[in-house]
Amino acid sequence: MDFRTEFKPLTVQPQEIEEKSFAMITEELGEHSFTEEQYKVVQRVIHASADFELGRSLVFHPDAIRAGIDAIRSGKPIVADVQMVQVGISKPRIQKYGGDVRVYISDPDVMEEAKRLNTTRAIISIRKAAREADGAIYAIGNAPTALLELIRLVKEGQAKPGLIIGVPVGFVSAAESKEELLKLDVPFITNIGRKGGSPVAVASVNALSLLAEREG
Amino acid sequence: MDFRTEFKPLTVQPQEIEEKSFAMITEELGEHSFTEEQYKVVQRVIHASADFELGRSLVFHPDAIRAGIDAIRSGKPIVADVQMVQVGISKPRIQKYGGDVRVYISDPDVMEEAKRLNTTRAIISIRKAAREADGAIYAIGNAPTALLELIRLVKEGQAKPGLIIGVPVGFVSAAESKEELLKLDVPFITNIGRKGGSPVAVASVNALSLLAEREG
């Protein structure tokens, strides 16, 4: 047994690890048809998932990157569907433009309303967000019902998102909700299939805020 | 435009969605060699990732499930490497036995020490956990450096985890850190390869707390 209280530091620097990872991703991914800016998102998603199939399955509305950067730079809020997405998003680059990262799913009024209507808290939280967060970036990594509700509200003119990042994961409705998103004429980032998740939503927002920062 | 303030509820019940998903997973996975209890973890990991390859790559120390259940039922803490893991874990089933879910990575003393030693906050946070959380379940979904440090502390007799859930994701050191964990004679749950992540760590803990609850 060793009762030292001082330890030898390992030679691991977060910045170095990230740079090395990104180089490996670019090399292994090889050819692709993403734009340089879209690729920043793809690369960060692969970094967060170690899943090239997931990275390749990403689909970008042509205005998605521009809309995301503009929303961040004009201080629009980010609406996360779940707390895991909310805590994962890097805040300083959002806050420096006046934005914040919101999550409504555990608000008492949302929980009460979901119970009353016998539906999911995810759905009710999106209704609340739609009332409060015009022009927001929606980052949906978990709940297909949240994405489906947002699509419905957009179609009815009751939600005005700046960008929808719709990457819920799962077996029931996840892939279908993304198919619906693909038909929508609003800026979106999504992927084909069942995969997705909170880290994918987080990585997408973090990539966009880095692109926003690059513009000064 | 439709200015209704009341909406028609979708017919989607979280419990129904989960049951249907689990049935799909069991059918699609087909044959496997996990025990009934291990499979509860595997199923929940696949549910959280929609990734059968990841689910199949899970490896359980023979005592892992028993150790996890015992730790939860005796109120040992859960130590999460990052906040995303901490917020994702279902708390009521941990708290009912007197446990809690801790994360040290953003503690001011951890940040300061990491800066001083020019190393990662993940490493320093594990050192702090090792001093404070004997018998804990470590849920490491993000940082390979955290897992490597925990392994080192176990070898030196300075950390006494009840169970190590070591499923960091990434390109640098993630797969290697899990290879090291496989050699350790403490209860562990891990997987082979680069994949993993916060949702995998969360799903594993949540599956274990459900198993704990099943015992009353």
Side-chain angles (χ1 to χ4, degrees), chain A residues 27 43-44 81 88-89 95 97 109 115 123 132 145 154 157 167 169 178 188 213:
Chain A
E27 193 185 321
Q43 191 178 41
R44 202 159 278 272
D81 63 336
I89 292 170
Q95 289 163 348
Y97 302 108
D109 58 339
K115 209 167 180 182
I123 288 175
E132 296 190 0
T145 59
V154 167
V167 289
V169 61
K178 296 172 201 170
F188 61 74
E213 204 171 46

Side-chain angles (χ1 to χ4, degrees), chain B residues 97-147:
Chain B
Y97 302 108
D100 58 356
V101 187
R102 301 177 189 175
V103 61
Y104 295 96
I105 199 160
S106 295
D107 289 2
D109 58 339
V110 167
M111 293 169 75
E112 201 178 296
E113 182 80 348
K115 208 168 180 179
R116 195 177 67 82
L117 294 178
N118 192 29
T119 187
T120 72
R121 291 194 288 143
I123 288 175
I124 304 300
S125 71
I126 292 298
R127 290 181 195 171
K128 185 171 177 184
R131 289 193 301 269
E132 296 191 1
D134 253 18
I137 297 178
Y138 285 75
I140 300 179
N142 194 271
T145 58
L147 181 55

Side-chain angles (χ1 to χ4, degrees), chain B residues 139-160:
Chain B
I140 300 179
N142 194 271
T145 58
L147 181 55
L148 287 169
E149 181 67 7
L150 179 57
I151 292 167
R152 190 181 74 79
L153 292 173
V154 167
K155 284 181 181 168
E156 297 196 357
Q158 306 201 41
K160 306 246 180 306

Side-chain angles (χ1 to χ4, degrees), chain B:
Chain B
M1 290 251 276
D2 180 351
F3 289 98
R4 285 180 303 162
T5 54
E6 197 67 24
F7 299 82
K8 189 160 42 106
L10 299 181
T11 55
V12 274
Q13 295 308 318
Q15 194 55 39
E16 258 176 55
I17 294 171
E18 192 174 283
E19 280 168 21
K20 196 172 163 194
S21 302
F22 280 8
M24 290 168 78
I25 291 165
T26 299
E27 194 186 321
E28 284 189 43
L29 183 67
E31 276 185 49
H32 63 78
S33 55
F34 298 109
T35 68
E36 183 258 340
E37 290 189 317
Q38 290 170 352
Y39 179 61
K40 296 285 184 190
V41 176
V42 173
Q43 192 178 40
R44 202 160 279 272
V45 165
I46 296 174
H47 182 244
S49 61
D51 191 336
F52 287 90
E53 181 190 288
L54 173 54
R56 285 189 182 280
S57 75
L58 285 169
V59 182
F60 295 81
H61 182 281
D63 302 332
I65 299 288
R66 189 68 256 152
I69 293 173
D70 288 348
I72 291 168
R73 287 176 59 83
S74 57
K76 299 293 184 202
I78 317 278
V79 174
D81 63 336
V82 291
Q83 227 192 329
M84 279 184 76
V85 172
Q86 203 254 349
V87 301
I89 292 170
S90 179
K91 308 298 182 301
R93 292 193 303 270
I94 302 298
Q95 288 163 347
K96 85 184 244 195
Y97 302 108
D100 58 356
V101 187
R102 301 177 189 175
V103 61
Y104 295 96
I105 199 160
S106 295
D107 289 2
D109 58 339
V110 167
M111 293 169 75
E112 201 178 296
E113 182 80 348
K115 208 168 180 179
R116 195 177 67 82
L117 294 178
N118 192 29
T119 187
T120 72
R121 291 194 288 143
I123 288 175
I124 304 300
S125 71
I126 292 298
R127 290 181 195 171
K128 185 171 177 184
R131 289 193 301 269
E132 296 191 1
D134 253 18
I137 297 178
Y138 285 75
I140 300 179
N142 194 271
T145 58
L147 181 55
L148 287 169
E149 181 67 7
L150 179 57
I151 292 167
R152 190 181 74 79
L153 292 173
V154 167
K155 284 181 181 168
E156 297 196 357
Q158 306 201 41
K160 306 246 180 306
L163 169 68
I164 301 176
I165 300 171
V167 289
V169 61
F171 290 82
V172 174
S173 306
E176 295 80 353
S177 68
K178 297 172 203 171
E179 292 294 333
E180 288 305 309
L181 180 57
L182 285 169
K183 295 178 203 158
L184 214 61
D185 189 26
V186 297
F188 60 73
I189 299 174
T190 187
N191 74 302
I192 306 291
R194 292 166 169 173
K195 287 182 181 178
S198 299
V200 179
V202 167
S204 302
V205 174
N206 288 344
L208 287 169
S209 70
L210 281 163
L211 288 169
E213 204 171 44
R214 204 169 70 167
E215 297 189 1

